[in-house]
Amino acid sequence: MTRRFTDKDTYDFIINTLNKHGINEDIISIASRMDIDLARIFYEKILCVKQTATLSNNIDVITKTLLGIYGNYIATCYYKNLGYDVKNEYGVYQNGTLITRADIAFFNHDGELNFCEVKAASQIIDNIRNYNSKDEEKYNGKYYYDMDKDILKYKEIGSKLIKQVSKLIKTGKNVTVVIFDGCFMDDIIKDKLNKMGANIFKLAVNINDLEDQIYDMVFKVTEGLKSDDTFKNILGDK
């Protein structure tokens, strides 16, 4: 059980504010299984922050964090709707040793164990020269944008994906990489996944629209947290 980091009233206030603006218990539960404490994140990065610039940057950081959580949630719902008993953050063992955790695991209708690695990203690349410059259009001044940092981030996503899939494939189970509509995956990544024997499946949910929706939710949660007079007094008007 996660150790409470603040008093119960403040904790409940944060959770209720998240729920009010669409970050429901299912999302909070999946985040917890991913070892992400959303209440703590909003407390530390929103409630306890005074500087406007820092707050704006933190909203972007939380948006990215929630994007991954919502990605797993949407993929989980998809496979549940197909009738599968889905497990999240499923422990994968070899010779009795935990080697990794699969985002999603389920037995298909033939009784075969399937692993899914979910990537809620607008790009997944191997070579930095394959960066899709159209990606920067989505920012439109709403998000702080550092193109060089973004390029390296998408390359790192690709590198981590290949490493994770290689671990899952070694188990001999069926492995699927789940991405979203609007995600650009370069041919190098696709070829590596195909050679390993992994499937690539694209969900019909646009990743850029999803990120915008999450940003709006985080912004509204921020307004709700920072505008409450009671907690302004408790936190010293932070």
Side-chain angles (χ1 to χ4, degrees):
M1 183 175 181
T2 302
R3 183 178 179 182
R4 181 163 289 141
F5 53 89
T6 186
D7 62 278
K8 185 178 185 300
D9 287 342
T10 303
Y11 180 88
D12 290 344
F13 168 61
I14 296 170
I15 293 297
N16 290 337
T17 305
L18 296 181
N19 292 164
K20 180 180 177 181
H21 296 289
I23 303 174
N24 60 30
E25 293 299 331
D26 288 338
I27 298 299
I28 294 169
S29 176
I30 283 189
S32 179
R33 288 196 287 273
M34 296 169 69
D35 292 327
I36 299 172
D37 187 341
L38 288 179
R40 178 187 287 274
I41 288 174
F42 276 94
Y43 177 79
E44 294 177 349
K45 293 191 175 295
I46 301 298
L47 269 177
C48 295
V49 172
K50 289 182 177 180
Q51 296 84 2
T52 301
T54 302
L55 186 64
S56 178
N57 182 68
N58 286 352
I59 290 173
D60 295 343
V61 170
I62 295 173
T63 296
K64 297 294 186 183
T65 299
L66 275 170
L67 187 61
I69 297 167
Y70 269 89
N72 282 5
Y73 172 71
I74 292 168
T76 296
C77 290
Y78 173 81
Y79 285 106
K80 281 186 175 180
N81 288 337
L82 293 179
Y84 300 128
D85 180 18
V86 178
K87 306 296 182 184
N88 296 107
E89 298 301 310
Y90 185 89
V92 180
Y93 295 82
Q94 276 189 337
N95 301 320
T97 301
L98 178 69
I99 60 168
T100 189
R101 293 189 181 276
D103 289 333
I104 288 174
F106 60 87
F107 287 93
N108 64 21
H109 299 308
D110 295 322
E112 299 170 329
L113 183 58
N114 287 248
F115 295 139
C116 295
E117 181 67 12
V118 184
K119 286 299 175 189
S122 58
Q123 297 193 44
I124 306 172
I125 60 177
D126 179 277
N127 191 310
I128 60 176
R129 283 179 279 187
N130 290 333
Y131 171 75
N132 188 342
S133 60
K134 289 183 178 181
D135 192 56
E136 59 193 272
E137 296 175 3
K138 70 181 180 181
Y139 289 88
N140 293 323
K142 178 180 286 188
Y143 311 100
Y144 172 73
Y145 184 61
D146 182 335
M147 187 174 73
D148 291 338
K149 184 177 179 180
D150 235 23
I151 292 172
L152 293 175
K153 176 189 71 177
Y154 293 133
K155 187 177 186 300
E156 181 67 14
I157 289 172
S159 175
K160 288 182 177 179
L161 173 62
I162 296 301
K163 289 178 182 178
Q164 174 69 349
V165 170
S166 68
K167 291 179 182 178
L168 297 175
I169 284 288
K170 287 177 182 177
T171 65
K173 310 302 182 185
N174 298 320
V175 177
T176 299
V177 174
V178 179
I179 58 176
F180 291 76
D181 179 52
C183 171
F184 170 74
M185 178 183 284
D186 75 14
D187 289 338
I188 300 174
I189 296 291
K190 289 178 182 177
D191 288 344
K192 286 182 177 181
L193 292 174
N194 288 331
K195 288 177 180 177
M196 285 191 286
N199 303 304
I200 302 172
F201 177 69
K202 183 178 289 187
L203 286 168
V205 174
N206 186 274
I207 189 66
N208 297 310
D209 291 344
L210 179 61
E211 185 171 354
D212 282 342
Q213 291 167 14
I214 293 171
Y215 179 92
D216 289 341
M217 277 194 294
V218 175
F219 189 82
K220 289 175 182 177
V221 169
T222 300
E223 287 186 320
L225 293 175
K226 301 293 277 188
S227 65
D228 188 273
D229 291 335
T230 301
F231 287 90
K232 279 184 180 179
N233 294 332
I234 289 175
L235 295 165
D237 198 24
K238 291 180 180 179

